[in-house]
Amino acid sequence: MIYILRNSQQFGPYDENTLLTYVNSGQILIQDQARDSVTNEVTTVGRVLKRGGLKPCVAQSGGLMSQLRQIGKELIVPASSLRQHQWLQDKRLLMLSLVGLAPLAVMYAPVPKLLIFYAVSLYFACIWGLFFYYLFKTAQVSAKTTIKLFFITQIGIFLIFSGLHRLNLFYIFTEAPFPLSWVGYVLGVGVTEELAKALPVYFLARRAREPLIPQTLVFYGLMSGIAFGVFEGVQYQTQVNIKLDYSSAYFLNVARLTSLPFLHAIWCGIAGYFISFAQLYPKYRKALYFLAIAVPAFLHGTYDTFCGSLPGMIVALPVTLIGVVLLMTYLRKSADYQSHLRH
């Protein structure tokens, strides 16, 4: 005798011929689990019937047109549900649809080439934003604030990198041999870019109507980093990558839309973490604000120093992983760190 197991429920027992009848009528599936009442062996209904020399043959409910009529129009075109706008209730699928179909709109849009580069970069930024929103969203996170932060960061970065960033004299060392180049990339490129990304997060935290927990400001830091990645992606695609051969330009364009914005996001997420602690524990704000820039600037500058060559990537790639691990550890230990600072 055979027991049928389906959805954590047990039915039966049935002998093999009864089982075949139920399979032929469509009430039991050959993929259903079957347990032998004597040996307790668990297999499938199909194997049980095969061992017994029985061949199932499910009876069809008429021809093709007859089956379509029995299925009904509502299953194929759910008109009543469409009229009631029930499809609007699934916000996730709608959001994915917008993200998935956006490139088609950009492809046929009559806009200048520079705006096409920006639109594509913005498209990938939206994908990263949805990913970070899913992972790091808290009750304090506001979609409206996120969008405002994203575009305010881009405006600020555009102004700063229209020439003001050259006021940082450490930039000149980036052309020098190592280790002076490392100093230039950390104190010149790293400090300037991380400060530009962190400032909007700092002002957001200062103007908040309630203390923002670390994970909230980490999220906003991630979004500010993505905003910088969009700016830098357009800048490199239109000024640097366009001068390279096709394969190199293609690879670097993809990198500028995917991995590199992710790195900027992680580094600014670390800044957001320390900014949140500076707001929660103002007695230590000097040190915490310093760490908010120093830690990501060190990671950023070290990566930039070594990422330009294949041997250098032996150093650069572990640095990128260190940034991710640091942020994960910070978030996991945030309660312990808060307890330490509180006492």
Side-chain angles (χ1 to χ4, degrees), residues 15 34 52 63 65 80 89 108 110 143 172 180 217-218 238 302-303 327:
D15 59 43
M65 297 309 296
S80 60
Q89 297 174 6
Y108 294 105
I172 62 175
L180 279 179
L217 280 183
V218 165
T238 56
T302 304
Y303 172 81
L327 183 56

Side-chain angles (χ1 to χ4, degrees), residues 99 153 156:
V99 172
T153 299

Side-chain angles (χ1 to χ4, degrees), residues 2-180:
I2 303 297
Y3 286 100
I4 302 303
L5 309 175
R6 181 190 286 182
N7 298 328
S8 302
Q9 290 185 294
Q10 180 173 280
F11 305 92
Y14 311 109
D15 59 43
E16 292 178 347
N17 288 312
T18 303
L19 201 58
L20 178 64
T21 302
Y22 281 133
V23 170
N24 288 341
S25 66
Q27 294 175 275
I28 293 178
L29 305 175
I30 60 173
Q31 294 88 355
D32 279 328
Q33 287 189 316
R35 181 175 66 83
D36 192 292
S37 61
V38 178
T39 65
N40 280 328
E41 177 193 7
V42 177
T43 182
T44 64
V45 171
R47 290 180 179 272
V48 170
L49 296 178
K50 186 176 182 179
R51 283 202 298 254
L54 302 173
K55 187 175 182 180
C57 181
V58 179
Q60 293 293 296
S61 181
L64 172 62
M65 297 309 296
S66 174
Q67 290 183 21
L68 288 173
R69 282 193 296 270
Q70 292 177 63
I71 288 172
K73 293 186 292 184
E74 185 65 23
L75 182 64
I76 304 169
V77 182
S80 60
S81 296
L82 291 173
R83 283 194 297 269
Q84 296 170 13
H85 301 108
Q86 294 179 3
W87 54 277
L88 289 173
Q89 297 174 6
D90 194 340
K91 304 296 185 184
R92 294 174 301 175
L93 186 58
L94 282 175
M95 190 67 69
L96 287 173
S97 299
L98 289 174
V99 172
L101 299 175
L104 293 178
V106 173
M107 184 166 56
Y108 294 105
V111 296
K113 290 183 179 180
L114 181 61
L115 288 182
I116 290 178
F117 280 113
Y118 180 75
V120 173
S121 295
L122 199 61
Y123 169 73
F124 280 92
C126 288
I127 295 176
W128 277 122
L130 289 171
F131 176 74
F132 290 140
Y133 188 78
Y134 175 77
L135 287 182
F136 295 95
K137 179 179 70 73
T138 69
Q140 294 178 320
V141 168
S142 161
K144 182 179 178 181
T145 302
T146 302
I147 295 170
K148 288 170 62 177
L149 172 77
F150 182 86
F151 287 105
I152 289 172
T153 299
Q154 288 198 339
I155 293 170
I157 288 169
F158 179 80
L159 294 174
I160 291 171
F161 286 88
S162 293
L164 291 178
H165 65 294
R166 290 295 175 181
L167 294 176
N168 186 334
L169 299 180
F170 284 102
Y171 265 86
I172 62 175
F173 293 112
T174 58
E175 304 296 331
F178 183 83
L180 279 179

Side-chain angles (χ1 to χ4, degrees), residues 171-245:
Y171 265 86
I172 62 175
F173 293 112
T174 58
E175 304 296 331
F178 183 83
L180 279 179
S181 62
W182 177 75
V183 173
Y185 278 113
V186 172
L187 299 182
V189 177
V191 168
T192 304
E193 294 190 3
E194 295 308 320
L195 185 61
K197 291 185 290 182
L199 279 175
V201 182
Y202 165 78
F203 286 117
L204 187 152
R206 292 283 291 178
R207 293 175 62 85
R209 297 181 179 179
E210 63 176 336
L212 299 180
I213 63 174
Q215 187 168 328
T216 297
L217 280 183
V218 165
F219 170 78
Y220 286 132
L222 292 168
M223 294 309 301
S224 184
I226 287 295
F228 183 91
V230 170
F231 167 82
E232 192 176 62
V234 173
Q235 186 182 49
Y236 271 83
Q237 288 179 82
T238 56
Q239 298 177 17
V240 179
N241 298 355
I242 201 169
K243 300 175 184 178
L244 303 175
D245 63 271

